[in-house]
Coordinates of all heavy atoms in Angstrom, one line a residue:
D1 N -12.3 -1.3 20.2 CA -11.6 -2.5 20.3 C -11.1 -3.0 19.0 O -10.0 -3.4 18.8 CB -12.5 -3.6 21.0 CG -11.7 -4.9 21.4 OD1 -10.5 -4.8 21.7 OD2 -12.3 -5.9 21.4
L2 N -12.0 -2.8 18.0 CA -11.7 -3.2 16.6 C -10.6 -2.3 16.1 O -9.7 -2.7 15.3 CB -12.9 -3.3 15.8 CG -12.8 -3.8 14.3 CD1 -12.2 -5.2 14.4 CD2 -14.1 -3.9 13.6
A3 N -10.7 -1.0 16.4 CA -9.7 0.0 15.9 C -8.3 -0.4 16.5 O -7.3 -0.3 15.8 CB -10.1 1.4 16.4
I4 N -8.3 -0.7 17.7 CA -7.0 -1.1 18.3 C -6.4 -2.3 17.6 O -5.2 -2.4 17.4 CB -7.2 -1.4 19.9 CG1 -7.5 -0.2 20.6 CG2 -6.0 -2.1 20.5 CD1 -7.9 -0.4 22.1
S5 N -7.2 -3.3 17.3 CA -6.7 -4.5 16.6 C -6.2 -4.2 15.2 O -5.5 -5.0 14.6 CB -7.9 -5.6 16.5 OG -8.9 -5.2 15.7
L6 N -6.5 -3.0 14.6 CA -6.2 -2.7 13.3 C -5.1 -1.6 13.3 O -4.7 -1.0 12.2 CB -7.3 -2.2 12.5 CG -8.5 -3.2 12.3 CD1 -9.6 -2.6 11.6 CD2 -8.0 -4.4 11.5
L7 N -4.4 -1.4 14.4 CA -3.3 -0.4 14.5 C -2.2 -0.7 13.4 O -1.7 0.2 12.8 CB -2.7 -0.3 15.9 CG -3.5 0.5 16.9 CD1 -3.1 0.2 18.3 CD2 -3.4 2.0 16.6
L8 N -1.9 -2.0 13.3 CA -0.8 -2.3 12.3 C -1.4 -2.9 11.0 O -0.6 -3.5 10.2 CB 0.0 -3.4 13.0 CG 0.7 -3.0 14.3 CD1 1.6 -4.1 14.9 CD2 1.7 -1.8 14.0
T9 N -2.6 -2.6 10.7 CA -3.3 -3.0 9.4 C -2.9 -4.5 9.0 O -2.4 -4.7 8.0 CB -3.0 -2.0 8.3 OG1 -1.5 -2.0 8.1 CG2 -3.5 -0.7 8.6
P10 N -3.3 -5.5 9.9 CA -3.0 -6.8 9.4 C -3.9 -7.3 8.3 O -4.9 -6.8 8.1 CB -3.4 -7.6 10.7 CG -4.4 -6.8 11.4 CD -4.1 -5.4 11.1
P11 N -3.4 -8.2 7.5 CA -4.2 -8.7 6.3 C -5.3 -9.6 6.7 O -6.2 -9.8 5.9 CB -3.1 -9.4 5.4 CG -2.0 -9.8 6.3 CD -2.0 -8.7 7.4
V12 N -5.2 -10.2 7.9 CA -6.2 -11.1 8.3 C -6.7 -10.7 9.7 O -6.0 -10.5 10.6 CB -5.7 -12.6 8.4 CG1 -6.7 -13.6 9.0 CG2 -5.2 -13.1 7.1
V13 N -8.1 -10.6 9.8 CA -8.7 -10.3 11.1 C -9.7 -11.4 11.5 O -10.6 -11.8 10.7 CB -9.5 -8.9 11.0 CG1 -10.3 -8.6 12.2 CG2 -8.5 -7.8 10.7
F14 N -9.6 -11.8 12.8 CA -10.5 -12.8 13.4 C -11.5 -12.0 14.3 O -11.0 -11.3 15.2 CB -9.8 -13.9 14.2 CG -8.8 -14.6 13.3 CD1 -7.4 -14.7 13.7 CD2 -9.2 -15.3 12.2 CE1 -6.5 -15.4 13.0 CE2 -8.3 -16.0 11.4 CZ -6.9 -16.0 11.9
L15 N -12.7 -12.2 14.1 CA -13.8 -11.6 14.9 C -14.6 -12.7 15.5 O -15.4 -13.4 14.8 CB -14.7 -10.7 14.1 CG -14.0 -9.5 13.3 CD1 -15.0 -8.8 12.4 CD2 -13.3 -8.6 14.2
D16 N -14.5 -12.9 16.8 CA -15.1 -14.0 17.6 C -16.3 -13.4 18.3 O -16.3 -12.8 19.3 CB -14.2 -14.5 18.6 CG -14.7 -15.9 19.2 OD1 -15.7 -16.3 18.7 OD2 -14.1 -16.3 20.2
E17 N -17.5 -13.6 17.6 CA -18.8 -13.0 18.1 C -18.7 -11.6 18.4 O -19.0 -11.2 19.6 CB -19.3 -13.9 19.2 CG -19.5 -15.4 18.8 CD -20.2 -16.2 19.9 OE1 -20.8 -15.7 20.8 OE2 -20.2 -17.5 19.7
P18 N -18.3 -10.8 17.5 CA -18.1 -9.3 17.8 C -19.3 -8.5 18.3 O -19.1 -7.5 18.9 CB -17.5 -8.8 16.5 CG -18.1 -9.6 15.5 CD -18.2 -11.0 16.0
T19 N -20.5 -8.9 17.9 CA -21.6 -8.1 18.2 C -22.5 -8.7 19.4 O -23.6 -8.2 19.6 CB -22.5 -7.9 17.0 OG1 -23.1 -9.2 16.6 CG2 -21.7 -7.3 15.8
T20 N -22.0 -9.7 20.0 CA -22.7 -10.3 21.2 C -23.0 -9.2 22.2 O -22.1 -8.5 22.6 CB -21.9 -11.4 21.8 OG1 -21.8 -12.5 20.8 CG2 -22.7 -12.0 23.0
G21 N -24.3 -9.1 22.6 CA -24.7 -8.1 23.6 C -25.0 -6.7 23.1 O -25.3 -5.9 24.0
L22 N -24.7 -6.5 21.9 CA -25.0 -5.1 21.4 C -26.5 -5.0 21.0 O -27.1 -5.9 20.6 CB -24.1 -4.8 20.2 CG -22.6 -4.9 20.4 CD1 -21.9 -4.4 19.1 CD2 -22.2 -4.0 21.5
D23 N -27.0 -3.8 21.0 CA -28.3 -3.5 20.6 C -28.3 -3.4 19.0 O -27.3 -3.5 18.4 CB -28.9 -2.2 21.2 CG -28.1 -1.0 20.8 OD1 -27.5 -0.9 19.7 OD2 -28.0 0.0 21.7
T24 N -29.5 -3.4 18.4 CA -29.7 -3.4 17.0 C -28.9 -2.4 16.3 O -28.2 -2.7 15.3 CB -31.1 -3.4 16.6 OG1 -31.8 -4.5 17.2 CG2 -31.3 -3.5 15.1
R25 N -29.0 -1.1 16.8 CA -28.3 0.0 16.1 C -26.8 -0.2 16.2 O -26.1 0.0 15.2 CB -28.6 1.3 16.8 CG -28.0 2.5 16.1 CD -28.4 3.8 16.8 NE -29.8 4.0 16.7 CZ -30.4 4.6 15.7 NH1 -29.7 5.0 14.6 NH2 -31.7 4.8 15.7
S26 N -26.2 -0.6 17.3 CA -24.8 -0.7 17.5 C -24.3 -2.0 16.6 O -23.2 -1.9 16.0 CB -24.5 -1.0 18.9 OG -24.8 0.1 19.7
R27 N -25.1 -3.0 16.5 CA -24.7 -4.2 15.7 C -24.6 -3.7 14.2 O -23.7 -4.1 13.6 CB -25.8 -5.2 15.8 CG -25.4 -6.5 15.1 CD -26.5 -7.7 15.4 NE -26.4 -8.0 16.8 CZ -27.5 -8.0 17.6 NH1 -28.7 -7.7 17.1 NH2 -27.4 -8.4 18.8
Q28 N -25.6 -3.0 13.8 CA -25.6 -2.5 12.4 C -24.4 -1.6 12.1 O -23.8 -1.6 11.0 CB -26.9 -1.9 12.0 CG -28.1 -3.0 12.0 CD -29.4 -2.3 11.6 OE1 -29.5 -1.1 11.7 NE2 -30.4 -3.2 11.3
E29 N -24.1 -0.8 13.1 CA -22.9 0.2 12.9 C -21.6 -0.7 12.7 O -20.8 -0.4 11.9 CB -22.8 1.1 14.1 CG -23.9 2.2 14.1 CD -23.9 3.0 15.3 OE1 -23.1 2.6 16.3 OE2 -24.6 4.0 15.4
L30 N -21.5 -1.7 13.5 CA -20.3 -2.6 13.5 C -20.3 -3.4 12.2 O -19.2 -3.6 11.6 CB -20.2 -3.5 14.7 CG -18.9 -4.1 15.0 CD1 -17.8 -3.1 15.2 CD2 -18.9 -5.0 16.2
W31 N -21.4 -3.8 11.7 CA -21.5 -4.4 10.4 C -20.9 -3.5 9.3 O -20.2 -4.0 8.5 CB -22.9 -4.8 10.0 CG -23.6 -5.9 10.9 CD1 -22.9 -6.6 11.8 CD2 -24.9 -6.3 10.7 NE1 -23.8 -7.6 12.3 CE2 -25.0 -7.4 11.7 CE3 -26.0 -6.0 10.1 CZ2 -26.2 -8.1 11.9 CZ3 -27.2 -6.7 10.2 CH2 -27.4 -7.7 11.2
D32 N -21.3 -2.2 9.3 CA -20.7 -1.3 8.3 C -19.3 -1.3 8.4 O -18.6 -1.2 7.3 CB -21.3 0.1 8.5 CG -22.8 0.2 8.2 OD1 -23.3 -0.7 7.4 OD2 -23.5 1.1 8.7
V33 N -18.7 -1.3 9.6 CA -17.2 -1.2 9.8 C -16.6 -2.5 9.2 O -15.6 -2.5 8.5 CB -16.8 -1.1 11.2 CG1 -15.3 -1.3 11.5 CG2 -17.3 0.2 11.8
I34 N -17.2 -3.7 9.4 CA -16.7 -5.0 9.0 C -16.7 -5.0 7.4 O -15.7 -5.4 6.8 CB -17.5 -6.1 9.6 CG1 -17.2 -6.2 11.1 CG2 -17.1 -7.4 8.9 CD1 -18.2 -7.1 11.8
R35 N -17.8 -4.5 6.8 CA -17.9 -4.4 5.4 C -16.9 -3.6 4.8 O -16.3 -3.9 3.7 CB -19.3 -3.9 5.0 CG -20.5 -4.8 5.3 CD -21.7 -4.3 4.7 NE -22.9 -5.1 5.0 CZ -23.8 -4.8 5.9 NH1 -23.7 -3.6 6.6 NH2 -24.8 -5.5 6.2
S36 N -16.6 -2.4 5.5 CA -15.5 -1.5 4.9 C -14.1 -2.2 5.0 O -13.3 -1.9 4.1 CB -15.5 -0.2 5.7 OG -15.0 -0.4 7.0
L37 N -13.9 -2.9 6.1 CA -12.6 -3.7 6.1 C -12.4 -4.6 5.0 O -11.4 -4.7 4.3 CB -12.5 -4.4 7.5 CG -12.4 -3.6 8.8 CD1 -12.4 -4.6 9.9 CD2 -11.1 -2.8 8.7
A38 N -13.5 -5.4 4.7 CA -13.4 -6.3 3.6 C -13.2 -5.7 2.3 O -12.5 -6.1 1.4 CB -14.6 -7.3 3.6
A39 N -13.9 -4.5 2.1 CA -13.8 -3.8 0.9 C -12.4 -3.3 0.6 O -12.0 -3.1 -0.5 CB -14.8 -2.6 0.9

């Protein structure tokens, strides 16, 4: 879902509770993705 939202590489991304319902491992994997976007 996040990959689809970045197809056009927008400069601003809104994430509305993106990890709700995910287990700990999946949540941490998504955190890594979010950090890489900001970097």
